[in-house]
Amino acid sequence: MSGGTSSDAALVLDRCHELDRYSAHPVHLERTHLTRQHAQANEVVAGWMADAGLRTWVDAAGNVCGRREGREPGLPALLLGSHLDTVPDAGSYDGMLGVVMAIAVAQRLHDVELPFALELIGFSDEEGSRFGTALLGSQAVAGHWLEDWWDLRDRDGVTLHQAFLDFGLDPRRVHEAARQPHELVGYLEAHIEQGPYLEARDEPLGYVTTIAGARRFRLSVVGEARHAGGTPYARRRDALVGAAEVITEIERMARASGDADEHDGCIATVGRIEVQPGAVNVIPGRADLSLDLRAANDEARDAMWARMERRLEEMCEARGLRFEAQERHRAPAAPCAPWLTDAVVAGIGSTGQQDPLGLWSRAGHDAMAMARITDIGMLFLRCHDGISHHPDEAVLLEDVEVGLDAFEAAVRATAASYAARELRSSPA
Ligand code: HGY
Ligand code: MN
Ligand code: MN
């Protein structure tokens, strides 16, 4: 064990802050899929991967990748990574911390002979901020690509297809990013918790049991635009008042669904609303809003959506409004593999932290997509007050220090259990 050094952790944080420079916005951090800032971040991260002794490339879906061979060339790879894209006005660590920590661990292990190749990846689009559908980079790696996605448009009307071409990628070759299950041993991701539970236990590290399944919708409440002065209330079909009732009912139903601190309960959020025609003196004729719905298991999530959709339709009808729902994204809940979770727990234990907290991740991660083709495991690091998707996102240097030690030890533990498994399965 090379053991933690605060300079390693300090370098990790410095690199996360270096990546803040590649932003579409002069003041806050915003780096989205297939933009110039994404290309810049890919280039810098590829340089760090090369410094750690990896061969690097950008795959056919825009993910930046690195690889070093194991004890012999061509072995299946343990893949470490996270994402380099952000939400608007983001913090510096959601995604980037996991990519930079993976590079630091690869650096520490560069002269250690492993029973597998070690691959690193900086995924190109975990958030879905630009085109609305998330996990585009990791879904391509998982071999799950829908042709409909090419027509997705960003807020400037640019299609995903055009964005690929502008980035220098050939849309016809996106399938070349797909990895086959036999090429991978598993996928490990270090990530900030993006919630308050590790801080509440006053512990720096935890592990993920399962990642919440998510569905995203565009909801529309349709009424009729009319004169704000001359129209009596009895004749109004005010889409914004209807949407306001819908939004509070969504929260009421989700909160009543159970204690999200445990494995039951759903979490629902309306993050965006657009009102037409949007004039001060016109009764809104239409309101379009986003819905983000999650739960620890898909059955609970889908049952909640069925109840919610019926209830929202009834509420809108009672006001003479039309309710429409269009699904934009769906990712199944992804359980972590016991053998990789054991390795993560062993890694945490190697830092002296015993009996770590296992959490169902309320946040989505690229690991959800990777679970389609390989086993996954996740290491969580405490983040200040659970803040994320906000510039106040913060981690402690000492937490990154123990996080690096735990991540390195988890890779070593994975190697040990993988080698033992190979030995058991090899002919006598
Ligand atoms: O939305 C999420 O949970 C993730 O941060 N993309
Ligand atoms: Mn995020
Ligand atoms: Mn993330």
Side-chain angles (χ1 to χ4, degrees), residues 5-22 29 31 44-45 48 92-93 96-97 99-101 103-104 395-397 400-401 404:
T5 58
S6 56
S7 63
D8 285 2
L11 180 60
V12 162
L13 292 179
D14 288 349
R15 287 178 164 178
C16 288
H17 304 150
E18 156 83 15
L19 289 170
D20 287 349
R21 292 167 51 190
Y22 309 107
L29 175 56
R31 184 168 54 246
V44 170
V45 165
W48 295 338
S92 306
Y93 309 106
M96 285 67 79
L97 183 69
V99 176
V100 178
M101 283 180 67
I103 295 170
V395 289
L396 296 171
L397 176 68
V400 175
E401 235 171 279
L404 278 177

Side-chain angles (χ1 to χ4, degrees), residues 82-83 85 93-95 126-127 189 191 194 363-366 389:
S82 193
H83 59 94
D85 67 304
Y93 309 106
D94 171 7
E126 189 273 343
E127 301 289 0
E189 180 168 358
H191 202 289
Q194 298 175 300
H365 301 285
D366 289 300
H389 285 188

Side-chain angles (χ1 to χ4, degrees), residues 86-277:
T86 76
V87 295
D89 200 6
S92 306
Y93 309 106
D94 171 7
M96 285 67 79
L97 183 69
V99 176
V100 178
M101 283 180 67
I103 295 170
V105 167
Q107 178 72 56
R108 287 182 175 189
L109 296 173
H110 78 279
D111 59 357
V112 172
E113 187 183 84
L114 296 170
F116 40 61
L118 193 62
E119 286 198 21
L120 270 52
I121 193 162
F123 286 113
S124 57
D125 180 58
E126 189 273 343
E127 301 289 0
S129 299
R130 184 175 176 190
F131 294 101
T133 293
L135 308 173
L136 287 178
S138 41
Q139 293 199 78
V141 172
H144 178 74
W145 189 268
L146 302 183
E147 289 304 305
D148 294 359
W149 290 344
W150 292 123
D151 298 328
L152 290 171
R153 290 183 184 275
D154 67 10
R155 61 182 169 222
D156 299 324
V158 177
T159 63
L160 178 63
H161 189 274
Q162 186 56 48
F164 257 65
L165 297 171
D166 296 346
F167 197 74
L169 296 171
D170 179 349
R172 293 165 301 178
R173 300 179 59 182
V174 68
H175 304 289
E176 293 175 16
R179 308 304 297 275
Q180 302 310 316
H182 70 267
E183 294 178 290
L184 296 172
V185 164
Y187 173 75
L188 284 180
E189 180 168 358
H191 202 289
I192 52 172
E193 178 201 340
Q194 298 175 300
Y197 301 110
L198 289 177
E199 191 169 66
R201 281 209 354 168
D202 193 21
E203 291 181 346
L205 305 174
Y207 64 93
V208 174
T209 55
T210 191
I211 305 169
R215 292 176 72 176
R216 293 182 186 177
F217 299 87
R218 172 189 165 99
L219 306 181
S220 301
V221 177
V222 183
E224 185 182 41
R226 284 224 181 166
H227 195 289
T231 312
Y233 282 109
R235 294 169 179 252
R236 292 183 179 214
R237 294 196 295 128
D238 186 327
L240 185 49
V241 173
E245 284 189 347
V246 159
I247 292 168
T248 48
E249 181 64 6
I250 283 171
E251 190 204 46
R252 189 198 64 74
M253 290 181 74
R255 293 184 78 147
S257 72
D259 179 358
D261 288 8
E262 300 312 321
H263 258 72
D264 61 4
C266 292
I267 302 172
T269 309
V270 174
R272 194 163 46 213
I273 185 166
E274 292 152 20
V275 179
Q276 305 296 337

